[in-house]
């Protein structure tokens, strides 16, 4: 069992930067993926990006366009989502999630454990 807790959301302006954090606790795994998803009102949850112990670098959805960066502090068991050049369309609830699936999981169904989400609102 893995517990995840996101933090760092808020009300932002277009062009702002914001860093979300996801602190993990509970079970430990040698190999895993930590992903970020988001869900806007009336839309399906979509994959933002993730890092995997099977890969050297994080991987992202195309819409990120180099604006977001995922990093990890292993000692703190915390994963970060740095978001720059925020746009109104980035407004959503952002979730972190944990997967033990091999490779580079991108589907929500690949992730077993989820945080409660944190709201990010970007105002124009």
């Amino acid at each position: 069992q893995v517990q995840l807790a996101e933090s760092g959301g808020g009300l932002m302006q277009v062009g702002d930067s914001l860093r979300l954090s996801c602190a993990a606790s509970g079970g430990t795994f040698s190999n895993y993926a930590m992903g970020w998803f988001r869900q806007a009102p009336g839309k399906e949850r979509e994959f933002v990006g993730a890092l995997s112990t099977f890969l050297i670098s994080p991987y992202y959805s195309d819409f990120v366009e180099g604006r977001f960066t995922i990093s990890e502090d292993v000692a703190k068991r915390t994963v970060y989502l740095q978001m720059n050049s925020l746009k109104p369309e980035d407004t959503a609830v952002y979730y972190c999630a944990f997967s033990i699936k091999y490779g580079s999981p991108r589907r929500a169904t690949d992730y077993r454990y989820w945080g409660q989400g944190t709201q990010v609102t970007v105002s124009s």
Side-chain angles (χ1 to χ4, degrees), residues 17-117:
S17 296
L18 183 67
R19 190 178 79 163
L20 304 182
S21 300
C22 174
S25 60
T28 58
F29 296 85
S30 298
N31 293 296
Y32 58 88
M34 288 289 290
W36 286 96
F37 289 77
R38 69 184 188 182
Q39 188 166 20
K43 295 187 177 181
E44 293 187 354
R45 191 167 299 189
E46 66 177 345
F47 175 75
V48 176
L51 54 81
S52 169
T53 56
F54 296 105
L55 301 175
I56 295 175
S57 301
Y59 52 103
Y60 304 92
S61 284
D62 290 343
F63 70 79
V64 168
E65 299 175 324
R67 299 183 297 123
F68 297 176
T69 303
I70 295 174
S71 61
E72 182 181 27
D73 186 328
V74 175
K76 294 183 178 180
R77 299 190 68 188
T78 299
V79 174
Y80 303 98
L81 176 63
Q82 176 68 43
M83 302 186 291
N84 299 326
S85 303
L86 285 166
K87 306 175 181 180
E89 50 264 43
D90 294 320
T91 295
V93 177
Y94 283 73
Y95 299 89
C96 68
F98 182 94
S99 172
I100 57 173
K101 186 175 177 64
Y102 174 81
S104 54
R106 292 175 176 264
R107 299 176 302 178
T109 52
D110 293 333
Y111 288 79
R112 179 178 299 184
Y113 303 108
W114 292 80
Q116 81 287 352

